[in-house]
Every structure is written in C-alpha cells, then in structure tokens.
Amino acid sequence: MSVSVFDILLASPCSGLAFQDTNMSRSISPEERLLLTLRFLATGNSFASSYYEYLLGISTISGIVCHTCQLIWQRLRDAVMPQPKAEDWPRIADGFYKSSQFPNCIGALDGKHIRVKKPPHSGSQYFNFKQYFSIVLLALVDSNYRFIIVDIGAYGSTADARIFCSSRMGERLCANQLALPEPRRLPGSSASAAPFVIVADEGFALSPHVMRAFPRRDLDNRKRIFNYRLSRGRRYVECAFGILSNKWRVFMSCLQMSPQNATLVIQACVILHNFTTIHDVPSEPEVAPFPTTTSVGLDHNPQGRPGSAGLAVRELFADYFISPEGALSWQLNSIRGTRR
C-alpha cells in the first residue's frame, strides 16, 4: 500500500480513531492505530510480537485492532462494496464475458474456510471437513477479483450449500429481490433468452440462477466443454481468495481470537481488498463491476435433485457453447486429457 493510498484510507475512519488526551496519558494517534492494524493484518504476527514493536500492552493492541477493523467495515463498506442496482448487473456480466467468455454471468460464488482457535464449549460446530476449526467466508466475486457480496461467520462444519441457502444472500436470491435484469439472449444467438446466472462448484445446488458443472460420469464433449467454460468463470473467486490471503497474511495462520473478533478481521480484510484493488490497480471503466453487501434469491432446491428449471438453463448454456455463435476456437483442445 502506497503512502497516498494510506492517506486516503486514513481520511475515511479518522474521526472514529481520534481520542481525547487526558491528564494521565496521551491518546494513541489515528495514524498509529491504523498502522498497527494494517501491520497485524498484513503480517499475521501475534499481539505479543506487536507489543515489542509498538511498546503497547497486548490488551491495548487487541482492542485497537478490533475497533479499527469495525470502523473500516462501517465507514468504507458503502463506498467500496455498495449494494448493486439493476443497471449494475449487466456491466458485471459484460466484464465476465470479456474476460472469461461466459455470457450473462453476474458473479463467481464459493466459500473459504478461515482457521480459528477452537472456541470454548463449542464442541464440533467449528470443526470442518479439512480437520481444523474454522469460520466460513462465503463470497460472490466479479471479473476484477472484487467482492460483490459476502456472508461471514458461519460454522466451519456447515456445508457451503447450506450456508448459501440460509444466508441473506441466498434468501434474497430465492425471493427474487436481487434486482436482476430480465433474461436476455446470449451473444449472437437466436435461441430463447437466458437468465443471468452465478457460477459455482459442485458444492452448491443447481437452480435457474446458479450454475454448476455436469457430474463427472459419462461426460461427452458437449458436457466437458460446458464444464470447461464454467471453470473459466469460476476461477475468479478462487483467485480472489488467493489474492486476499497473499496480501493479508493474517489468514496464513490460525486466528487466535474469538469468532466474533475473527469476523471483524475478515470483514476489514474484505473491505481493504476492494479498497486497494480500486486505488492501486486501475480498471477499465466500461467493465468495472459494482460490489455489494447483500444478496437475493430464486428457485433453490438445497436438498435432493435439482429442479427442471435449473437443468433447462444449464442445457441452454451447454448448447450455446458448442454452437458456431458461442464456441471458442481452442475449447476442444483444452478439454483433451479430461476424458475418464
């Protein structure tokens, strides 16, 4: 983070970081509070090690970090991760089509397990299938690797599909409250209009607005090509998680704090990820997506077989990807070696 970007960041939550001096002691300046927090998030060093660097008490450092993270989330959320409007979704979809050649895609969805210390008396609630304790960051990401919608704090033992369906994101999607545009025809196609969709992995249920890959058994070229094209769109959420962890290395180790404080840290890192992406890496304005903090829902079937509407939408995309209008010149070569 450059000095200029740091100054921009400091100006936003500065009023909440300033405290009054007393007769007994001088307050810690907003600059030092923000610097201490950013160093903790960027290095993942313990509060004890920061004690020797800043000559502040461990409990004081812990309080500063949690308070600053909360302010970053509250003051910057609407600026760098606003709720998308109806006119924003087509621009997000155009960005995905330009970069991954997946039309009508409004985001890539996945969950990331954030390792935490086992909370007292929690049993196996936070124990995930990877054999460690965690809370889940569920995120919808655009083609610029920015977070559009996030849900933070679910138990690590809960499956991604269940988290999605019970989250505000999934509930609003199921209730058709996302302000999605009307379905539109795929580029160059004269077939039926296709709805705007989210691309996800096999951990999520298939629905008219959530696309997942075909099962890996009995795949023909048509299904393999669809899975390949889907993976080209889905990679953005995986890359976004990688960029997040590499820049904010607090995620490289176990968070030695309560799940509530860990949630504050994750929220701050998500906001800082978008903030630095906007200010450090210029993007093309015509495809720049508009991140958000809420979500919406549709015809989800979290348990059991997928509904016929979701299957029909997937078949529509699969047919388009092998048609002259939607095929890529290299897609047949790319699926070689995937036969089983």
Side-chain angles (χ1 to χ4, degrees), residues 17-38:
L17 294 176
F19 290 83
Q20 187 175 3
D21 295 337
T22 67
N23 294 331
M24 302 297 296
S25 64
R26 296 177 58 186
S27 63
I28 301 171
S29 66
E31 292 83 357
E32 188 172 2
R33 287 174 175 271
L34 182 58
L35 185 62
L36 190 156
T37 301
L38 292 178

Side-chain angles (χ1 to χ4, degrees), residues 128-142:
N128 63 32
F129 70 98
K130 299 181 179 181
Q131 307 299 305
Y132 60 82
F133 296 94
S134 67
I135 59 178
V136 179
L137 163 61
L138 186 71
L140 185 69
V141 175
D142 65 26

Side-chain angles (χ1 to χ4, degrees), residues 137-194:
L137 163 61
L138 186 71
L140 185 69
V141 175
D142 65 26
S143 60
N144 287 331
Y145 309 105
R146 297 178 193 163
F147 294 105
I148 306 173
I149 305 168
V150 295
D151 182 88
I152 304 169
Y155 296 137
S157 60
T158 310
D160 287 348
R162 185 175 295 275
I163 295 172
F164 177 68
C165 290
S166 61
S167 68
R168 188 182 179 191
M169 181 191 311
E171 289 174 353
R172 295 188 64 191
L173 183 62
C174 291
N176 290 327
Q177 297 172 349
L178 192 56
L180 293 180
E182 292 296 320
R184 68 181 183 185
R185 289 182 177 177
L186 301 178
S189 174
S190 58
S192 302

Side-chain angles (χ1 to χ4, degrees), residues 302-318:
Q303 297 179 351
R305 298 179 62 85
S308 58
L311 292 171
V313 173
R314 186 168 64 178
E315 294 294 331
L316 178 63
F317 276 95

Side-chain angles (χ1 to χ4, degrees), residues 149-326:
I149 305 168
V150 295
D151 182 88
I152 304 169
Y155 296 137
S157 60
T158 310
D160 287 348
R162 185 175 295 275
I163 295 172
F164 177 68
C165 290
S166 61
S167 68
R168 188 182 179 191
M169 181 191 311
E171 289 174 353
R172 295 188 64 191
L173 183 62
C174 291
N176 290 327
Q177 297 172 349
L178 192 56
L180 293 180
E182 292 296 320
R184 68 181 183 185
R185 289 182 177 177
L186 301 178
S189 174
S190 58
S192 302
F196 287 83
V197 298
I198 295 169
V199 293
D201 62 15
E202 293 87 347
F204 296 88
L206 180 68
S207 78
H209 289 272
V210 179
M211 291 291 100
R212 54 174 284 177
F214 283 102
R216 298 186 180 183
R217 293 175 296 179
D218 303 324
L219 289 177
D220 54 20
N221 280 345
R222 174 175 166 275
K223 294 180 179 180
R224 287 192 180 91
I225 289 173
F226 174 85
N227 289 356
Y228 166 69
R229 299 287 290 271
L230 184 83
S231 68
R232 285 177 55 84
R234 201 178 63 80
R235 63 183 176 175
Y236 287 93
V237 66
E238 302 288 354
C239 292
F241 286 149
I243 296 169
L244 179 74
S245 298
N246 192 55
K247 181 178 287 290
W248 308 107
R249 300 204 168 194
V250 67
F251 298 129
M252 294 291 191
S253 59
C254 179
L255 296 179
Q256 300 293 326
M257 55 185 65
S258 67
Q260 293 75 24
N261 289 340
T263 298
L264 294 177
V265 168
I266 299 169
Q267 288 175 338
C269 288
V270 166
I271 295 300
L272 291 171
H273 171 90
N274 280 10
F275 182 87
T276 55
T277 301
I278 292 171
H279 289 87
D280 283 345
V281 182
S283 58
E284 299 181 12
E286 65 271 13
V287 297
F290 288 72
T292 182
T293 50
T294 51
S295 48
V296 185
L298 257 166
D299 175 22
H300 278 285
N301 186 16
Q303 297 179 351
R305 298 179 62 85
S308 58
L311 292 171
V313 173
R314 186 168 64 178
E315 294 294 331
L316 178 63
F317 276 95
D319 290 338
Y320 173 75
F321 290 149
I322 61 172
S323 68
E325 297 82 9

